[in-house]
Amino acid sequence: MNDAERRLWAAFPSGATVVLGDDRPAGPLPDRIVRAEIITRLLLGAGESRPGSVASLRLRGAYVVGRFDLSGGTIEHELRLERCRIVEKPDFSNAQTRQLRFSECRMPGFDGGGLRADGYVSLSGSVIEGEVWLPRAQIGGGLRMNKMEITASAPEKWAVFSGGLVVDVGAFVQNSRITGGVRLVGARMNGGLFMQGTTLENPGRLALDAQNMVVEDAAEFSGGFTARGTVRLRSARVNGILSFSTSILDSCDPGRMALHASHIQADELLLWPAEKIKGRVSLSYSRIDLIMDSPEIWPDELYLNGLTYETLRFKGTFKDRLSWVSRDPEFHLQPYEQLAAWYHSVGSDDLARKVQLAKLRARRRRLNPVGRAWNHVLDWTVGYGYRPWLAFAWFGALLAIGAVVFSLDAPKPIKQPDERPAFHALVYSLDLLIPLDTFGQQQAFDATGWSRWVAYTLVATGWVLATALIAGVTRVLRPN
């Protein structure tokens, strides 16, 4: 046992800190070398406790060599390593402990699979050149990974890997830089997830995979959070705010998702990045009470089919919101219906009708030529039933034209004087436009010459207007 190890052994019963240097050791200086075996033995109960003191292992500036293996062990004492260089990856898999702190350390990875900690686990300030493993870990006092640098050993490996991770107090991964994917599938963050200022680098791959994650209070991907790669939150649940305020979302591949947040549930979504989202975004089949966003950040492809919400708050115009629901490469009725229902719920019935019109016009582009032509007629004549006044405008214009034409070129009588009413150009035009013989003028007079074509046009147009009005009103009353 060297001098550094003897000092550590002597200080352990009282929990005093052994300082071997205040700078992070870059090399194995003889007076700073501590074998991992000594640390392991002390943590597993080889050292004696001193009455009136709390035994703990606190070490600063050490160069730790050998295998750091505490897998499956029960650790009764606090471990705090500061500014240490750990040569081999610490193994705390399936261990049970109070709290662990690796502050500003450098190591080739960390294995905490199945770890159970009553207190916090902190890796803040550390540089890890390898993978951090936390599958099935249960951390009662919070997870702290602030101001860290983590670099996966290979592009296909996860920088942070977990599945079923449970953190009771809060997970803080702030102002860190992580190269490689972060996997939090099935995690439960009972005190929130806070990733402000953190950069995730995994271009063209998953920067964050948090499918089925449950977060209480808040999930903060904000305050300068940057993801170069896909952020996948599919089927996640946030009982609070899900924030992307002043963040950067860039898939680094236009064909990939920048934010895959389909089937999620959240009380509030703040989708307000610092710049336009680069890549696709999916909110399909999600349920969100409040959405706050801005037209400036919407990507070119946005999937909203099945999304339901109660409130929208945004900086923009009605046309911007119409553009929002039209960015799906495939046409779906539901986004338009949901937006129209929201406008109706806030008392903007006129805007709700405009959304319905936009829906039918968008649908028209996907019909066959015959259906497209008839839809144009419905649009021009009655606005698909949402603007029936158009039919009356057309009717009035045609009635005026007919009255002028038949005043200039009166039709000839086809009935005896005692059997026919007196001719009136306006009434005759009205009789032609109305599909039923209402005033008897059409049966008593017959247009001749060029005015006959005007009469034929009025008759045909009258039928079209009546049919369009009936079809449009039916569509409104029975939209399905």
Side-chain angles (χ1 to χ4, degrees), residues 33 43 135 197 350 386 440:
I33 294 176
L43 291 176
D350 182 56
Y386 292 103

Side-chain angles (χ1 to χ4, degrees), residues 444-473:
F445 300 93
D446 186 20
T448 59
W450 63 275
S451 63
R452 174 172 291 182
W453 294 105
V454 176
Y456 292 159
T457 301
L458 292 179
V459 171
T461 305
W463 278 102
V464 170
L465 284 173
T467 304
L469 185 61
I470 294 171
V473 171

